[in-house]
């Protein structure tokens, strides 16, 4: 897959994928979605729940809600399901 940031469409998409894959609890939830070939919206809901539990920035402060809006959910979903 070609992309513009570490093989992804953009930084936001890479960041969400990286965060979901590097947290054991989030990874299990994401894998459950992958097994069901969930919709882009379901991936977005999971990511939002994990990354923005109660604030306007991610747990670690690296991503704002406006940057979250830049995530290419189609790219994320298709890549995760096809891997």
């Amino acid at each position: 897959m070609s992309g513009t940031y570490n093989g992804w469409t953009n930084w936001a998409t890479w960041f969400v994928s990286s965060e979901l894959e590097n947290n054991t609890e989030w990874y299990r939830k994401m894998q459950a979605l992958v097994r069901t070939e969930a919709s882009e919206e379901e991936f977005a809901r999971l990511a939002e729940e994990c990354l923005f539990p109660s604030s306007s920035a991610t747990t670690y402060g690296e991503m704002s809600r406006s940057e979250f809006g830049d995530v290419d959910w189609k790219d994320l979903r298709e890549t995760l399901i096809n891997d």
Side-chain angles (χ1 to χ4, degrees):
M1 174 177 82
S2 64
T4 61
Y5 195 89
N6 289 339
W8 292 94
T9 305
N10 56 33
W11 177 85
T13 307
W14 167 83
F15 180 83
V16 168
S17 171
S18 178
E19 289 296 299
L20 292 177
E21 290 181 340
N22 288 303
N23 179 298
T24 304
E25 179 184 347
W26 300 348
Y27 181 78
R28 281 190 220 133
K29 290 179 181 182
M30 183 186 63
Q31 288 302 307
L33 291 182
V34 167
R35 284 191 295 278
T36 65
E37 296 190 14
S39 70
E40 295 165 26
E41 292 80 15
E42 289 171 290
F43 279 98
R45 274 194 298 277
L46 171 63
E48 185 171 25
E49 171 190 313
C50 293
L51 296 172
F52 298 96
S54 63
S55 68
S56 61
T58 58
T59 306
Y60 309 109
E62 288 100 345
M63 174 181 259
S64 68
R65 285 209 179 259
S66 65
E67 290 169 317
F68 187 76
D70 294 336
V71 174
D72 183 338
W73 296 107
K74 181 179 179 184
D75 181 19
L76 183 73
R77 178 188 176 276
E78 288 178 1
T79 300
L80 294 173
I81 287 174
N82 291 326
D83 277 352

